[in-house]
mmCIF file of all heavy atoms in Angstrom:
data_model
loop_
_atom_site.group_PDB
_atom_site.id
_atom_site.type_symbol
_atom_site.label_atom_id
_atom_site.label_comp_id
_atom_site.label_asym_id
_atom_site.label_seq_id
_atom_site.Cartn_x
_atom_site.Cartn_y
_atom_site.Cartn_z
ATOM 1 N N VAL A 48 70.671 -34.806 -50.621
ATOM 2 C CA VAL A 48 69.608 -33.826 -50.319
ATOM 3 C C VAL A 48 69.853 -32.513 -51.080
ATOM 4 O O VAL A 48 68.913 -31.838 -51.555
ATOM 5 C CB VAL A 48 69.512 -33.589 -48.811
ATOM 6 C CG1 VAL A 48 68.587 -32.433 -48.501
ATOM 7 C CG2 VAL A 48 68.969 -34.880 -48.138
ATOM 8 N N SER A 49 71.118 -32.155 -51.203
ATOM 9 C CA SER A 49 71.456 -30.909 -51.894
ATOM 10 C C SER A 49 70.928 -30.908 -53.306
ATOM 11 O O SER A 49 70.442 -29.902 -53.813
ATOM 12 C CB SER A 49 72.969 -30.689 -51.922
ATOM 13 O OG SER A 49 73.618 -31.810 -52.520
ATOM 14 N N GLN A 50 71.024 -32.064 -53.969
ATOM 15 C CA GLN A 50 70.532 -32.207 -55.346
ATOM 16 C C GLN A 50 69.008 -32.105 -55.343
ATOM 17 O O GLN A 50 68.401 -31.441 -56.221
ATOM 18 C CB GLN A 50 70.918 -33.654 -55.805
ATOM 19 C CG GLN A 50 70.625 -33.932 -57.235
ATOM 20 C CD GLN A 50 71.745 -33.491 -58.159
ATOM 21 O OE1 GLN A 50 72.812 -33.069 -57.653
ATOM 22 N NE2 GLN A 50 71.556 -33.511 -59.445
ATOM 23 N N LEU A 51 68.351 -32.705 -54.410
ATOM 24 C CA LEU A 51 66.874 -32.649 -54.349
ATOM 25 C C LEU A 51 66.370 -31.258 -54.062
ATOM 26 O O LEU A 51 65.347 -30.806 -54.584
ATOM 27 C CB LEU A 51 66.335 -33.612 -53.261
ATOM 28 C CG LEU A 51 66.623 -35.100 -53.502
ATOM 29 C CD1 LEU A 51 66.214 -35.934 -52.313
ATOM 30 C CD2 LEU A 51 65.878 -35.579 -54.763
ATOM 31 N N LEU A 52 67.090 -30.547 -53.167
ATOM 32 C CA LEU A 52 66.643 -29.230 -52.801
ATOM 33 C C LEU A 52 66.850 -28.169 -53.863
ATOM 34 O O LEU A 52 66.231 -27.125 -53.833
ATOM 35 C CB LEU A 52 67.347 -28.800 -51.549
ATOM 36 C CG LEU A 52 66.927 -29.523 -50.263
ATOM 37 C CD1 LEU A 52 67.774 -29.057 -49.086
ATOM 38 C CD2 LEU A 52 65.447 -29.287 -49.977
ATOM 39 N N SER A 53 67.695 -28.468 -54.873
ATOM 40 C CA SER A 53 68.021 -27.474 -55.885
ATOM 41 C C SER A 53 66.927 -27.342 -56.953
ATOM 42 O O SER A 53 66.996 -26.494 -57.804
ATOM 43 C CB SER A 53 69.351 -27.772 -56.491
ATOM 44 O OG SER A 53 69.265 -28.954 -57.290
ATOM 45 N N LYS A 54 65.973 -28.291 -56.970
ATOM 46 C CA LYS A 54 64.984 -28.306 -58.019
ATOM 47 C C LYS A 54 63.567 -28.187 -57.547
ATOM 48 O O LYS A 54 63.120 -28.984 -56.680
ATOM 49 C CB LYS A 54 65.060 -29.645 -58.818
ATOM 50 C CG LYS A 54 66.456 -30.063 -59.144
ATOM 51 C CD LYS A 54 67.037 -29.334 -60.338
ATOM 52 C CE LYS A 54 68.482 -29.809 -60.588
ATOM 53 N NZ LYS A 54 69.135 -29.014 -61.595
ATOM 54 N N GLY A 55 62.830 -27.182 -58.056
ATOM 55 C CA GLY A 55 61.393 -27.203 -58.002
ATOM 56 C C GLY A 55 60.748 -27.089 -56.616
ATOM 57 O O GLY A 55 61.406 -27.078 -55.585
ATOM 58 N N SER A 58 60.424 -29.556 -53.170
ATOM 59 C CA SER A 58 61.541 -29.742 -52.286
ATOM 60 C C SER A 58 61.133 -29.696 -50.787
ATOM 61 O O SER A 58 61.847 -30.155 -49.947
ATOM 62 C CB SER A 58 62.619 -28.669 -52.560
ATOM 63 O OG SER A 58 61.984 -27.381 -52.413
ATOM 64 N N ILE A 61 60.281 -33.691 -48.873
ATOM 65 C CA ILE A 61 61.288 -34.756 -49.042
ATOM 66 C C ILE A 61 61.367 -35.594 -47.785
ATOM 67 O O ILE A 61 61.236 -35.110 -46.669
ATOM 68 C CB ILE A 61 62.661 -34.147 -49.325
ATOM 69 C CG1 ILE A 61 62.627 -33.388 -50.652
ATOM 70 C CG2 ILE A 61 63.763 -35.209 -49.331
ATOM 71 C CD1 ILE A 61 63.924 -32.602 -50.939
ATOM 72 N N PHE A 82 61.774 -37.589 -55.206
ATOM 73 C CA PHE A 82 60.366 -37.242 -55.238
ATOM 74 C C PHE A 82 59.793 -37.268 -56.657
ATOM 75 O O PHE A 82 58.620 -37.059 -56.836
ATOM 76 C CB PHE A 82 60.100 -35.862 -54.561
ATOM 77 C CG PHE A 82 60.912 -34.763 -55.172
ATOM 78 C CD1 PHE A 82 60.482 -34.169 -56.363
ATOM 79 C CD2 PHE A 82 62.092 -34.304 -54.616
ATOM 80 C CE1 PHE A 82 61.226 -33.123 -56.935
ATOM 81 C CE2 PHE A 82 62.810 -33.292 -55.182
ATOM 82 C CZ PHE A 82 62.387 -32.718 -56.372
ATOM 83 N N VAL A 86 64.633 -35.329 -61.839
ATOM 84 C CA VAL A 86 65.828 -34.894 -61.171
ATOM 85 C C VAL A 86 66.888 -35.990 -61.169
ATOM 86 O O VAL A 86 68.049 -35.784 -61.540
ATOM 87 C CB VAL A 86 65.546 -34.374 -59.767
ATOM 88 C CG1 VAL A 86 66.800 -34.088 -58.956
ATOM 89 C CG2 VAL A 86 64.650 -33.096 -59.824
ATOM 90 N N ASP A 279 59.421 -25.301 -61.822
ATOM 91 C CA ASP A 279 59.969 -24.185 -62.591
ATOM 92 C C ASP A 279 61.107 -24.523 -63.503
ATOM 93 O O ASP A 279 61.805 -23.670 -64.018
ATOM 94 C CB ASP A 279 60.381 -23.044 -61.655
ATOM 95 C CG ASP A 279 61.227 -23.519 -60.539
ATOM 96 O OD1 ASP A 279 61.783 -24.640 -60.631
ATOM 97 O OD2 ASP A 279 61.422 -22.775 -59.566
ATOM 98 N N LEU A 308 67.796 -28.202 -67.441
ATOM 99 C CA LEU A 308 67.760 -28.949 -66.192
ATOM 100 C C LEU A 308 69.101 -29.603 -65.831
ATOM 101 O O LEU A 308 69.557 -29.564 -64.727
ATOM 102 C CB LEU A 308 66.664 -30.006 -66.223
ATOM 103 C CG LEU A 308 66.489 -30.832 -64.915
ATOM 104 C CD1 LEU A 308 65.973 -29.980 -63.793
ATOM 105 C CD2 LEU A 308 65.519 -32.012 -65.153
#
Side-chain angles (χ1 to χ4, degrees):
Chain A
V48 171
S49 57
Q50 187 85 8
L51 295 173
L52 288 177
S53 67
K54 315 282 178 186
S58 57
I61 295 173
F82 56 80
V86 171
D279 54 13
L308 181 66

